[in-house]
Amino acid sequence: MTGPAVDIIPARRGKAVALAKGQTIRVINTPGTQVLDTWAFNRGDLGESMSMEHSRSFNSKIMLGVGDSYVSERRRPMLTVVEDTSPGIHDTLLCACNRYIYEEQGCREYHRNCTDNLHEALAEMGLKIPFTPAPLNLFMNIPVNPDRSISRLPPVSRAGDHVRLKAAMDLVVVFSACPQDMSPINGAQKTPRDAHYAIES
Amino acid sequence: MTGPAVDIIPARRGKAVALAKGQTIRVINTPGTQVLDTWAFNRGDLGESMSMEHSRSFNSKIMLGVGDSYVSERRRPMLTVVEDTSPGIHDTLLCACNRYIYEEQGCREYHRNCTDNLHEALAEMGLKIPFTPAPLNLFMNIPVNPDRSISRLPPVSRAGDHVRLKAAMDLVVVFSACPQDMSPINGAQKTPRDAHYAIES
């Protein structure tokens, strides 16, 4: 028996995936160290998108776990966490990286970034949105300290850890294998690597 | 000598204000209990807006204080906190309330809400934006607990407390005196009240 096909989310690149209501996607942190910025849009109306600020409000927590649902700004569940083999550390607080952040960090040339990856991946599907929603940063390790500062630490997930997310409506889901190589959020080696996913019925 | 004119932000309503680069706005929590959802847009390009997810990233903290700047998604400072007579408790984590939240809470009729207040206030200036950015919730008391849950508590500000925000570029700033009257975020009496502001040169 073969399982569902496993596809690549190439290092530093975005990938848009159509997901039907009821389907589950397994998102695999192949190297263990790779952060995956993640967005979801109602496939029938791109004006409805997964919202981190509404998901925190809906669940009354800043980090969601198994059984919790990420919701849209219309408060409808979009993706429900059905399994997580990692320690469950994901981030809902930080923006997608963009060209301006890399300029801030001293880059003089264009640096690939999750914001452009989102829009490029949607464009490959012929889709366009007028802004960049705050992403779900799967596997990203951003603790909030008691003084309300945040730290940027390497992921605590292990090679091959996965999260399974179930679609509560027909969706376009976009992943970006975060290109950040100037801070340790993609591991102490600061090296973005390929991740993978599989759509399960 | 008279000070700058003080204007009203009516309870349950929104208010859009043009602010020139270098001007300071004093935002007054007249009753002490009123949460003010706050947005800012580049007056020359509404596509650039104050971003909570970028502001948390830029400042590496989830709650900003005096000397800190709220930035746009282009990482440019928009509003800098120059004074805060309140205990400094404000929220960057939660969404603006919208009609769907009040439906969730059991409302069967239309309930005024910060999201509609934002778009109404902009429309009064002839302006339109295609989405609702996450707001800065001035005076809103949403502690993050050690287990990463959040609580919704009454403001700790006192009657007349104010925040002074300095514009780092020409802005349209929008306030909404939050209409929430079903949870204690606008005080234990659950009663939205008028707040005020004054533009200082």
Side-chain angles (χ1 to χ4, degrees):
Chain A
M1 204 178 96
T2 55
V6 171
D7 255 313
I8 191 170
I9 307 165
R12 305 171 193 267
R13 301 272 162 177
K15 178 85 187 180
V17 180
L19 210 58
K21 178 177 175 173
Q23 283 186 320
T24 295
I25 189 163
R26 185 157 47 95
V27 189
I28 308 157
N29 195 343
T30 313
T33 50
Q34 183 59 46
V35 166
L36 292 165
D37 283 37
T38 303
W39 294 266
F41 302 89
N42 176 347
R43 213 185 331 161
D45 175 2
L46 294 185
E48 181 172 13
S49 58
M50 185 167 74
S51 163
M52 290 305 105
E53 59 269 26
H54 280 279
S55 295
R56 287 188 293 266
S57 163
F58 187 83
N59 293 282
S60 295
K61 55 177 86 161
I62 62 168
M63 195 183 297
L64 279 56
V66 171
D68 294 331
S69 291
Y70 293 92
V71 301
S72 73
E73 62 286 276
R74 297 179 203 162
R75 310 289 281 195
R76 304 199 301 164
M78 297 188 101
L79 287 170
T80 302
V81 185
V82 293
E83 187 190 12
D84 188 349
T85 69
S86 82
I89 301 298
H90 309 284
D91 172 67
T92 72
L93 299 174
L94 292 194
C95 53
C97 62
N98 63 19
R99 66 184 69 189
Y100 306 104
I101 291 178
Y102 292 105
E103 287 171 15
E104 230 172 77
Q105 294 192 283
C107 264
R108 304 218 176 260
E109 296 174 1
Y110 178 76
H111 193 292
R112 294 198 65 82
N113 60 81
C114 289
T115 297
D116 290 351
N117 282 348
L118 163 66
H119 296 286
E120 280 179 21
L122 286 173
E124 282 170 20
M125 279 192 159
L127 303 175
K128 192 174 163 65
I129 54 166
F131 73 109
T132 302
L136 162 61
N137 298 308
L138 287 173
F139 307 111
M140 195 179 187
N141 184 9
I142 307 291
V144 177
N145 305 307
D147 67 355
R148 303 193 188 94
S149 67
I150 57 165
S151 302
R152 290 172 173 84
L153 301 182
V156 291
S157 37
R158 294 147 302 199
D161 270 343
H162 69 255
V163 173
R164 287 175 70 235
L165 303 168
K166 185 169 184 173
M169 63 174 78
D170 290 349
L171 295 173
V172 173
V173 176
V174 182
F175 301 103
S176 168
C178 179
Q180 177 57 266
D181 52 10
M182 305 176 75
S183 85
I185 64 114
N186 288 311
Q189 295 189 310
K190 302 183 183 177
T191 305
R193 299 183 194 277
D194 297 344
H196 295 83
Y197 70 93
I199 297 175
E200 307 169 340
S201 291
Chain B
M1 204 179 96
T2 55
V6 170
D7 255 312
I8 190 169
I9 307 165
R12 304 171 193 270
R13 300 271 163 177
K15 179 88 187 178
V17 180
L19 209 59
K21 178 177 176 173
Q23 283 187 319
T24 295
I25 189 163
R26 187 158 45 97
V27 189
I28 308 159
N29 195 343
T30 314
T33 51
Q34 183 59 47
V35 166
L36 293 164
D37 283 36
T38 303
W39 294 266
F41 303 89
N42 175 348
R43 213 185 329 160
D45 176 1
L46 294 184
E48 181 171 13
S49 58
M50 184 167 73
S51 163
M52 290 306 105
E53 59 269 26
H54 280 279
S55 295
R56 288 188 292 266
S57 163
F58 187 83
N59 293 281
S60 294
K61 54 177 87 161
I62 63 168
M63 194 183 295
L64 279 55
V66 172
D68 293 331
S69 292
Y70 294 93
V71 300
S72 73
E73 63 286 275
R74 296 178 205 163
R75 310 288 281 196
R76 302 201 301 165
M78 297 189 100
L79 287 170
T80 302
V81 184
V82 292
E83 188 190 13
D84 188 350
T85 70
S86 82
I89 301 298
H90 309 284
D91 173 66
T92 72
L93 299 174
L94 292 193
C95 53
C97 62
N98 62 19
R99 66 185 67 189
Y100 307 103
I101 290 179
Y102 292 104
E103 287 171 14
E104 229 173 77
Q105 293 192 284
C107 265
R108 303 217 178 264
E109 297 174 2
Y110 178 76
H111 193 292
R112 294 198 64 82
N113 60 81
C114 289
T115 297
D116 290 352
N117 282 347
L118 163 66
H119 296 285
E120 280 178 21
L122 287 174
E124 283 170 19
M125 279 193 159
L127 303 175
K128 191 173 165 65
I129 54 166
F131 74 108
T132 301
L136 162 61
N137 297 308
L138 287 173
F139 308 111
M140 195 179 188
N141 184 9
I142 306 292
V144 177
N145 305 308
D147 67 354
R148 304 194 187 94
S149 67
I150 56 164
S151 302
R152 290 172 173 82
L153 301 181
V156 291
S157 37
R158 296 146 301 198
D161 270 343
H162 69 256
V163 174
R164 288 174 70 236
L165 302 169
K166 184 169 184 173
M169 63 174 78
D170 290 350
L171 295 173
V172 173
V173 176
V174 182
F175 301 103
S176 168
C178 179
Q180 177 57 267
D181 52 11
M182 306 175 76
S183 84
I185 62 113
N186 288 310
Q189 294 189 314
K190 302 183 183 178
T191 306
R193 298 184 197 276
D194 298 344
H196 295 82
Y197 69 94
I199 297 175
E200 305 169 341
S201 293

